[in-house]
């Protein structure tokens, strides 16, 4: 029996190389040895205001990018979260079960709500309960995510454990899987902040659909420091981040990379970095173009994914309802 993998991505903003290196790349690789379910989490996206037309378009764009990156609908289930209503039902039940104090400890809410705590939606605060439902409803064992999501996966695990100890064995305990390299790609304009879809600065992120010209220009402007040496030194976050991107796209070791750029300047390194990223993204961009030439194709794949996910989710929901004494 292969282990069950589940992960999700929000259909908001532009998908960037942080999403790719921290998550999508591993999802593609895991198709070999795991039983995979990947989800476009539109219900998570609406925790903050969204333009309806843009949201609808972004759902197809993200799906197309996942398929272009190598998610194979024959081997993996790919679907839209809102197409399987059991996620919302289980989220409600977990809402009534997760202690308020657990939710209040979530650091991402604190960061995202900023100084606007009274204005943001209850959904944004409560989002880890929906994420726990996404994970637990498929008896997930492994959740491949970037570093920023580790705390949420741990909350899902704690919830499963607490539920099982009260109602008896019900949920499988999930574990986060965080990559060794690439788990936290930082913004090009500010290497102390995680690269994020919600940041609007034009020089913040390299997006998967950026043209070669844009990629070259963004790397040329990326923030570094006034030193010269090209070394993996965590105390120099700008150059460290760029070197990490180079490492993941080139597949070379740290030592090889440091030797390659010995005595060279930041300008030369940034040019080489742009080329390795352009070449790395080229096949994905070409497949994306082919896929989106027929707009019905992606919708058909997503509809089939939901058909396959629904019975799996319904079974878990029924099990939980019985345990609680509903109906
Ligand atoms: P936002 O910052 O607007 O919430 P996001 O860029 O974090 O969006 P998500 O859809 O929330 O994007 O994340 C999809 C996946 O990408 C998650 O597994 C997340 O951990 C991972 N991820 C996001 N940003 C990075 C990053 N900078 N480095 C590595 N992995 C990342
Ligand atoms: N919260 C995640 C997306 C997400 C997810 C999930 C990831 C929603 N449900 C379940 C893994 C498993 C994010 O914002 N990146």
């Amino acid at each position: 029996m292969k282990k069950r993998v589940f992960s999700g991505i929000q259909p908001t903003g532009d998908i960037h190389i942080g999403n790719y290196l921290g998550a999508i790349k591993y999802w593609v690789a895991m198709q070999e040895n795991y039983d995979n379910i990947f989800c476009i989490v539109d219900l998570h996206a609406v925790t903050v205001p969204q333009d309806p037309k843009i949201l609808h378009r972004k759902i197809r764009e993200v799906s197309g990018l996942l398929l272009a990156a190598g998610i194979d609908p024959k081997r993996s289930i790919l679907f839209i979260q809102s197409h399987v209503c059991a996620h919302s039902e289980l989220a409600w039940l977990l809402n009534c079960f997760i202690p308020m104090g657990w939710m209040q400890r979530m650091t991402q809410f604190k960061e995202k709500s900023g100084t606007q705590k009274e204005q943001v939606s209850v959904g944004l605060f409560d989002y880890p309960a929906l994420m726990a439902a996404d994970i637990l409803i498929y008896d997930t064992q492994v959740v491949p995510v970037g570093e920023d999501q580790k705390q949420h996966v741990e909350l899902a695990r704690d919830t499963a454990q607490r539920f099982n100890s009260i109602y008896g064995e019900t949920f499988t305990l999930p574990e986060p899987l965080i990559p060794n390299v690439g788990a936290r790609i930082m913004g090009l304009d500010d290497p102390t902040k995680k690269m994020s879809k919600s940041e609007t600065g034009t020089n913040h992120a390299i997006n998967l659909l950026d043209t070669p010209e844009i990629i070259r220009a963004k790397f040329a402007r990326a923030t570094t420091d006034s030193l010269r040496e090209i070394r993996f030194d965590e105390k120099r976050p700008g150059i460290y981040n760029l070197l990490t991107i180079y490492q993941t796209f080139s597949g070379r070791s740290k030592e090889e990379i440091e030797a390659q750029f010995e005595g060279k300047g930041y300008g030369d390194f940034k040019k080489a970095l742009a080329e390795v990223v352009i070449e790395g993204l080229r096949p994905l961009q070409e497949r994306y173009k082919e896929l989106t030439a027929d707009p019905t194709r992606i919708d058909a794949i997503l509809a089939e994914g939901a058909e396959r996910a629904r019975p799996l989710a319904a079974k878990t929901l029924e099990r939980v309802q019985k345990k609680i004494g509903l109906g």
Side-chain angles (χ1 to χ4, degrees):
M1 277 282 276
K2 287 182 179 173
K3 281 194 181 173
R4 167 66 49 80
V5 161
F6 181 95
S7 200
I9 187 161
Q10 297 200 43
T12 50
D14 292 319
I15 305 292
H16 50 72
I17 56 171
N19 301 130
Y20 181 68
L21 300 176
I24 301 170
K25 190 178 142 192
Y26 293 90
W27 302 2
V28 172
M30 289 176 92
Q31 295 182 114
E32 287 299 322
N33 302 313
Y34 294 86
D35 175 14
N36 302 277
I37 305 180
F38 300 116
C39 185
I40 315 297
V41 292
D42 54 350
L43 296 173
H44 278 90
V46 296
T47 55
V48 295
Q50 300 291 345
D51 176 307
K53 280 206 185 77
I54 298 179
L55 179 61
H56 189 82
R57 179 165 58 75
K58 282 283 165 190
I59 292 171
R60 273 83 204 158
E61 183 183 298
V62 175
S63 309
L65 282 170
L66 292 181
L67 293 165
I71 298 298
D72 174 2
K74 288 200 196 72
R75 287 191 290 173
S76 303
I77 297 179
L78 177 68
F79 74 104
I80 304 174
Q81 189 181 29
S82 64
H83 283 180
V84 180
C85 15
H87 287 237
S88 308
E89 288 191 52
L90 181 59
W92 175 256
L93 299 178
L94 297 182
N95 263 333
C96 301
F97 181 78
I98 297 172
M100 190 78 175
W102 290 13
M103 239 14 137
Q104 281 165 333
R105 281 201 292 273
M106 295 296 110
T107 53
Q108 194 181 59
F109 176 74
K110 290 181 203 163
E111 281 160 23
K112 288 211 169 180
S113 55
T115 52
Q116 300 268 300
K117 293 221 168 29
E118 300 294 317
Q119 298 305 319
V120 296
S121 74
V122 178
L124 186 70
F125 174 70
D126 188 38
Y127 140 141
L130 178 60
M131 179 159 163
D134 298 340
I135 295 170
L136 301 181
I137 209 158
Y138 296 106
D139 293 320
T140 304
Q141 288 156 294
V142 185
V143 187
V145 281
E147 181 68 43
D148 62 312
Q149 296 300 319
K150 187 168 175 240
Q151 197 185 29
H152 295 156
V153 180
E154 283 165 356
L155 183 124
R157 186 185 169 87
D158 292 346
T159 303
Q161 219 153 16
R162 187 171 130 95
F163 194 99
N164 290 351
S165 70
I166 295 174
Y167 293 104
E169 211 50 35
T170 310
F171 291 124
T172 302
L173 302 189
E175 257 181 79
L177 183 74
I178 317 281
N180 290 331
V181 185
R184 197 170 166 82
I185 301 295
M186 311 307 277
L188 301 187
D189 53 350
D190 179 356
T192 61
K193 273 199 192 153
K194 154 186 123 82
M195 190 177 279
S196 156
K197 288 189 254 139
S198 330
E199 289 285 332
T200 48
T202 48
N203 211 40
H204 174 73
I206 302 282
N207 300 322
L208 296 191
L209 292 175
D210 277 349
T211 61
E213 295 70 41
I214 291 179
I215 295 175
R216 285 187 196 109
K218 283 182 177 173
F219 278 128
R221 273 186 255 121
T223 304
T224 45
D225 51 42
S226 54
L227 301 173
R228 280 160 170 272
E229 257 186 321
I230 299 177
R231 290 225 165 280
F232 282 87
D233 176 357
E234 287 187 51
K235 288 191 224 77
R236 292 161 59 198
I239 193 73
Y240 184 82
N241 187 43
L242 298 183
L243 280 165
T244 303
I245 297 172
Y246 191 89
Q247 186 187 0
T248 49
F249 271 96
S250 69
R252 293 191 198 139
S253 71
K254 290 184 176 174
E255 295 70 30
E256 281 174 313
I257 296 168
E258 285 179 349
Q260 183 185 349
F261 293 104
E262 172 100 60
K264 300 233 168 78
Y266 284 172
D268 288 332
F269 168 63
K270 284 177 167 182
K271 279 192 193 130
L273 173 61
E275 295 316 310
V276 91
V277 173
I278 290 166
E279 285 317 310
L281 294 181
R282 195 187 297 281
L284 183 153
Q285 294 187 348
E286 281 169 5
R287 278 198 298 272
Y288 181 78
K289 239 193 187 159
E290 280 165 30
L291 260 163
T292 46
D294 172 6
T296 61
R297 192 152 154 216
I298 291 175
D299 277 316
I301 291 171
L302 293 170
E304 201 217 304
E307 285 296 316
R308 287 164 65 197
R310 250 179 234 122
L312 303 174
K315 216 167 125 193
T316 312
L317 180 63
E318 205 178 300
R319 193 162 76 220
V320 176
Q321 288 169 330
K322 267 205 192 119
K323 288 270 166 105
I324 301 179
L326 291 176

